[in-house]
Amino acid sequence: MAKTNNRNWLWWTWGLGSLVLAGVIGLALASLMDTAPGRSAFALRAMLLPGQTTHGHHQIELACNACHAQPFPSRDDVQERCEGCHAAALKAGDDKHPRSKFTDPRNAERAALLDATYCVTCHVEHKPGITHGPGVTLPRDYCVICHVDIAEDRPSHQGMAFDTCASSGCHSYHDNRATYEDFLVNHAHEPAVHPKPAVPARDFRDKLEELADYPHDRFPQTALAVADADHGGALPSPPALMTEWERTAHAAAGVNCSACHRPTGKAAEGLGTEWVEKPDQRVCASCHKPEVEGFVAGLHGMRLKQGLSPMTPGQARLPM
């Protein structure tokens, strides 16, 4: 009788534990649909992670839908998500291994050995044990698959190991502009580091689009003074703070306190009608759309793009 009771107790314990586990997994999956997740949702999502993500994706690893359009996506689904974030950067960087190179019939034999038409052929997340920099999960000598006879074309490469192509600082798989002979010749007279940093000139077409999008009706470029500030009693206004605002480009362009702290139109979506103490990038985008788009497309703004909170030093994996 005692053995039967013990057996029943074990079955009840196992059944209850299974139900609890299933419930937790169900809540975790449901949290993926939450458009405004809180701490509990992120804690549940963390339980679904099959392994650590790469350093590049660590910031958004709990925004699962950023990469996974559905619970069990196809390679094409994942590829679409990869290109959604990285296609523009690859194009701007003059990608030397674009997808078109591997869909070219002349390279069919090489593509059969390394199907580089998909990002996940080389970059697989949640596999920290086989992940090298920068996020590559192939063996370090993967260049040999296509370039086994490189020494015949370039004697300078004779005797070099194929696992040193990228680590030696010579080659980058997606962008090899720095090793082009014409590039080196054109810049040979320049110092290694310019004494005065320079920002590349902006395309005039982009500048015209930015001017066209600027809300001239709300901010007619009329300079404001301290006496014109419309903060009321909502914002503490010591004299030094208001004097500082008067000297800014915002005051010079007629942008008053309420423009950012009590926005209207699209900038106010999701913010309510009350005074906003700390406006986010949505408010900035009402006047600075290109700058905001560039920011959220980079490493510093990638969390904001996915609807996550800004990263704190305590959340960072790499030292900040």
Side-chain angles (χ1 to χ4, degrees):
M1 180 66 68
K3 290 183 178 180
T4 301
N5 290 335
N6 288 338
R7 190 179 298 112
N8 290 337
W9 180 82
L10 289 174
W11 277 110
W12 277 106
T13 302
W14 177 84
L16 182 61
S18 299
L19 287 175
V20 171
L21 180 60
V24 171
I25 294 176
L27 290 173
L29 291 173
S31 74
L32 299 178
M33 301 297 106
D34 191 349
T35 56
R39 289 186 177 180
S40 59
F42 288 135
L44 289 169
R45 292 182 186 184
M47 298 177 60
L48 297 178
L49 288 175
Q52 201 175 60
T53 54
T54 58
H55 293 323
H57 289 156
H58 164 61
Q59 291 193 53
I60 58 172
E61 67 180 8
L62 294 182
C64 307
N65 293 339
C67 299
H68 302 282
Q70 49 190 323
F72 301 99
S74 67
R75 287 166 67 89
D76 290 312
D77 293 328
V78 176
Q79 181 67 21
E80 183 179 349
R81 292 305 178 101
C82 294
E83 293 178 351
C85 290
H86 299 286
L90 291 174
K91 183 178 180 180
D94 189 22
D95 186 11
K96 304 315 299 179
H97 293 84
R99 187 171 184 142
S100 59
K101 177 171 289 188
F102 293 90
T103 56
D104 188 327
R106 294 172 295 180
N107 292 324
E109 291 185 5
R110 293 175 176 176
L113 297 174
L114 181 68
D115 184 12
T117 57
Y118 291 97
C119 298
V120 292
T121 296
C122 305
H123 306 279
V124 181
E125 290 293 332
H126 308 297
K127 300 288 185 180
I130 60 171
T131 301
H132 316 294
V136 178
T137 50
L138 289 178
R140 295 179 186 272
D141 60 351
Y142 63 90
C143 297
V144 71
I145 296 174
C146 295
H147 302 284
V148 63
D149 56 355
I150 187 65
E152 298 177 8
D153 300 327
R154 299 191 179 186
S156 60
H157 288 60
Q158 187 70 42
M160 290 186 177
F162 280 96
D163 59 357
T164 65
C165 301
S167 61
S168 61
C170 295
H171 297 286
S172 174
Y173 183 89
H174 288 293
D175 188 0
N176 247 1
R177 287 174 297 173
T179 56
Y180 290 170
E181 288 84 352
D182 56 352
F183 178 90
L184 297 176
V185 171
N186 291 336
H187 298 273
H189 64 284
E190 298 178 2
V193 179
H194 289 286
K196 184 178 181 181
V199 178
R202 295 183 60 183
D203 188 281
F204 187 64
R205 180 177 59 184
D206 294 338
K207 186 65 176 177
L208 284 178
E209 293 178 359
E210 181 179 350
L211 291 174
D213 290 338
Y214 185 84
H216 296 278
D217 56 331
R218 291 191 291 130
F219 311 122
Q221 304 291 308
T222 302
L224 301 175
V226 171
D228 301 315
D230 65 351
H231 58 85
L235 185 70
S237 54
L241 176 63
M242 299 314 299
T243 300
E244 181 181 345
W245 166 76
E246 184 183 28
R247 297 170 180 170
T248 64
H250 282 153
V255 181
N256 217 318
C257 303
S258 61
C260 299
H261 293 278
R262 188 172 283 142
T264 59
K266 289 186 177 181
E269 293 180 0
L271 297 178
T273 59
E274 301 299 322
W275 184 270
V276 181
E277 183 177 352
K278 295 182 179 181
D280 62 17
Q281 76 281 0
R282 290 172 292 178
V283 175
C284 302
S286 62
C287 293
H288 304 285
K289 185 178 178 181
E291 288 81 1
V292 172
E293 289 179 346
F295 178 76
V296 298
L299 293 176
H300 292 94
M302 61 192 298
R303 283 176 61 87
L304 298 179
K305 183 178 181 180
Q306 301 301 332
L308 302 176
S309 62
M311 173 160 277
T312 64
Q315 294 173 313
R317 182 182 299 162
L318 300 177
M320 294 182 66

